[in-house]
Amino acid sequence: SSELTQDPAVSVALGQTVRITCQGDSLRSFSAAWYQQRPGQAPILVIYDKIIRPSGIPDRFSGSTSGNTASLTITAAQAEDEADYYCNSRDSSGDHIIFGGGTKLTVL
Amino acid sequence: EVQLLESGGGLVQPGGSLRLSCAASGFTFRSHCLSWVRQVPGRGLEWVAVVYYDPTSTYYADSVKGRFTISRDNSKNILYLQMNSLSADDTAVYYCAKGLRPMDAREAYYFDSWGPGTLVSVSS
């Protein structure tokens, strides 16, 4: 498969925990990365190597993978976490880089 | 501090050509894989092309293969995207993005730095 599938939209109450998922057969072979994109801004890498947070990313962001599904979990979501979130990886052939369709997170 | 700055976007007619540039600084340019990623306003991210630290290794999305050419000038620290036979479907903001680790082609998709983007509009 050459696709990564994400739910188009997810909502979370302020201070609660939310999980955003990304499904794709290629995730059995290649690690997922996650990006946060706020309106009008370039994306920011928030998770790579399935579970690693780059410097400066709050520790309320965490990643995990099980089988063909990668997950981004935000614990105690804050208002500033409202954004679009994208996963990426390689396709099953390994030749191409692919992105999930993105998940719009609303913090209520 | 890593900086990436795209230029060269603008309005072009269908069938036309455009060359984007991405000036880079703050890291060892020749050691990192670099990609172009585009985004139609209001839509999702689409990877376009990658050039590995070995400048002869390039890969393209099927949607642009044969029309776009990615290249790098390691002496000037500039990434390029030559775009030919443009159509309305190519209208998007184009970002250049840097691979996280030096000399790492496998995880070239870990984009730890992005430019602000340059808008390409294809219209008559």
Side-chain angles (χ1 to χ4, degrees):
Chain A
S1 169
S2 60
E3 291 185 348
L4 296 175
T5 301
Q6 298 183 240
D7 291 329
V10 171
S11 62
V12 61
L14 184 68
Q16 296 303 301
T17 296
V18 63
R19 176 176 291 182
I20 299 169
T21 61
C22 171
Q23 279 191 307
D25 289 342
S26 65
L27 296 180
R28 298 183 186 277
S29 303
F30 299 99
S31 296
W34 289 93
Y35 302 84
Q36 176 193 69
Q37 186 181 33
R38 297 188 176 106
Q41 298 184 14
I44 296 171
L45 180 67
V46 296
I47 293 288
Y48 65 94
D49 277 347
K50 304 179 189 178
I51 62 172
I52 307 299
R53 276 179 293 105
S55 171
I57 301 301
D59 61 5
R60 63 179 179 273
F61 289 86
S62 62
S64 63
T65 296
S66 177
N68 73 338
T69 302
S71 299
L72 173 70
T73 299
I74 307 174
T75 303
Q78 302 299 301
E80 61 263 32
D81 299 335
E82 187 162 288
D84 294 325
Y85 290 86
Y86 296 91
C87 60
N88 86 334
S89 186
R90 288 189 176 274
D91 68 0
S92 297
S93 76
D95 288 339
H96 297 91
I97 294 168
I98 53 176
F99 281 92
T103 297
K104 181 177 181 61
L105 176 66
T106 300
V107 179
L108 303 172
Chain B
E1 178 191 5
V2 172
Q3 291 194 345
L4 300 170
L5 183 61
E6 304 90 344
S7 61
L11 178 63
V12 61
Q13 292 189 336
S17 298
L18 212 55
R19 188 177 82 157
L20 305 183
S21 300
C22 174
S25 62
F27 64 101
T28 306
F29 183 84
R30 65 181 179 275
S31 297
H32 287 263
C33 301
L34 298 163
S35 282
W36 288 97
V37 177
R38 68 184 181 184
Q39 185 173 37
V40 175
R43 304 291 294 275
L45 299 171
E46 179 188 16
W47 170 76
V48 172
V50 63
V51 57
Y52 290 165
Y53 50 87
D54 170 6
T56 65
S57 292
T58 58
Y59 294 87
Y60 299 89
D62 291 344
S63 58
V64 306
K65 193 170 185 178
R67 300 188 299 121
F68 289 12
T69 301
I70 189 172
S71 62
R72 61 192 300 162
D73 185 333
N74 288 342
S75 68
K76 296 181 179 178
N77 287 5
I78 300 178
L79 174 71
Y80 298 103
L81 185 69
Q82 177 66 44
M83 304 186 295
N84 299 330
S85 302
L86 287 162
S87 73
D89 289 342
D90 298 313
T91 294
V93 174
Y94 284 73
Y95 296 101
C96 64
K98 166 187 164 290
L100 173 67
R101 299 188 184 108
M103 313 301 283
D104 182 1
R106 178 178 170 86
E107 277 83 31
Y109 58 94
Y110 294 167
F111 302 134
D112 68 330
S113 296
W114 299 64
T118 186
L119 177 63
V120 172
S121 296
V122 184
S123 175
S124 55

